[in-house]
Amino acid sequence: MKKLSIIITFFTVLIGCEKATTKKTDNNNIDYYERCRLLVLQENNPNQDYEFSKMGKEIDQQVIKYLGSVYTSKKDTLKILSNINYTGLYEDAKRGSGSVYIYNNNKLVGFYYVGSALAVPNKIENNKDLIFDYKNDVCNQTTKVSLNDSIPKRIFIQCTKDGGDLYNFKTTNNTTNNTTN
């Protein structure tokens, strides 16, 4: 029964995402990708993968997961999404890129582009820490990023004992944000 509910939810979200791309909200066009992320936030179902496909000549798939909420010391509630976007000409040649999106009051604050589909965070811990727990052929480390006091402008994610990657937080042009450093 739960499986049927998930399938129905998936198709409802997919249809709503596609139809909603032509609507205007607050006199701004919201693009397809943002509309899909907002629909996942609306579902409010932590750790559930939602898959979206955009029809066209090339593959354009998204896998979006609402990781949960972070409660900051400033009493803000940040909602965190991991987003993997697969693109390519053929199914066996598609590539995945990953991002982490941060919302406050369901408005996009900004995001970290983390490159690889394998680089997205896994979970939220203690309602304040973003967890990157790598266990793959390339990386084998765990990194905690605290969002309790602020959203860091840069984060360093440990990949191996010898190194890792530095990611910059990109804010959106239409938001003012008191939670960033």
Side-chain angles (χ1 to χ4, degrees):
M1 188 67 176
K2 185 176 180 181
K3 199 176 218 181
L4 178 62
S5 173
I6 290 171
I7 291 170
I8 291 170
T9 301
F10 169 74
F11 283 113
T12 302
V13 169
L14 180 62
I15 291 167
C17 183
E18 191 63 41
K19 287 184 178 179
T21 59
T22 59
K23 293 183 181 177
K24 290 187 176 187
T25 304
D26 297 325
N27 295 326
N28 294 324
N29 281 327
I30 296 177
D31 73 0
Y32 168 79
Y33 304 100
E34 178 64 6
R35 178 60 62 191
C36 293
R37 290 188 297 268
L38 288 172
L39 285 170
V40 170
L41 283 177
Q42 204 172 47
E43 288 294 312
N44 198 33
N45 197 1
N47 299 312
Q48 175 67 48
D49 285 341
Y50 292 88
E51 295 183 13
F52 302 94
S53 293
K54 196 172 183 182
M55 300 301 184
K57 291 182 181 180
E58 297 182 14
I59 295 169
D60 190 352
Q61 297 173 311
Q62 290 188 88
V63 178
I64 303 171
K65 182 186 289 189
Y66 170 49
L67 296 176
S69 296
V70 170
Y71 305 105
T72 70
S73 59
K74 297 175 185 171
K75 307 296 185 221
D76 288 323
T77 301
L78 304 176
K79 293 184 176 185
I80 313 299
L81 295 174
S82 68
N83 192 136
I84 300 171
N85 188 249
Y86 294 102
T87 58
L89 290 175
Y90 306 104
E91 184 68 29
D92 60 347
K94 66 184 180 182
R95 303 258 191 257
S97 61
S99 298
V100 181
Y101 287 86
I102 301 177
Y103 290 79
N104 187 3
N105 295 322
N106 288 341
K107 295 204 184 306
L108 181 62
V109 175
F111 65 96
Y112 295 101
Y113 174 73
V114 295
S116 167
L118 297 174
V120 295
N122 307 79
K123 61 184 176 181
I124 301 286
E125 192 173 86
N126 300 322
N127 292 340
K128 66 177 184 173
D129 297 322
L130 189 56
I131 306 298
F132 293 79
D133 189 16
Y134 295 147
K135 291 185 174 93
N136 57 54
D137 295 343
V138 179
C139 298
N140 59 11
Q141 299 295 303
T142 299
T143 303
K144 285 184 183 184
V145 175
S146 176
L147 300 173
N148 188 46
D149 293 325
S150 65
I151 301 170
K153 288 182 181 180
R154 293 178 147 190
I155 57 174
F156 179 77
I157 306 302
Q158 196 79 34
C159 176
T160 65
K161 290 181 182 180
D162 298 324
D165 294 301
L166 187 62
Y167 302 115
N168 294 314
F169 186 70
K170 295 179 174 90
T171 58
T172 58
N173 294 333
N174 60 353
T175 51
T176 55
N177 177 17
N178 296 328
T179 59
T180 58
N181 278 346

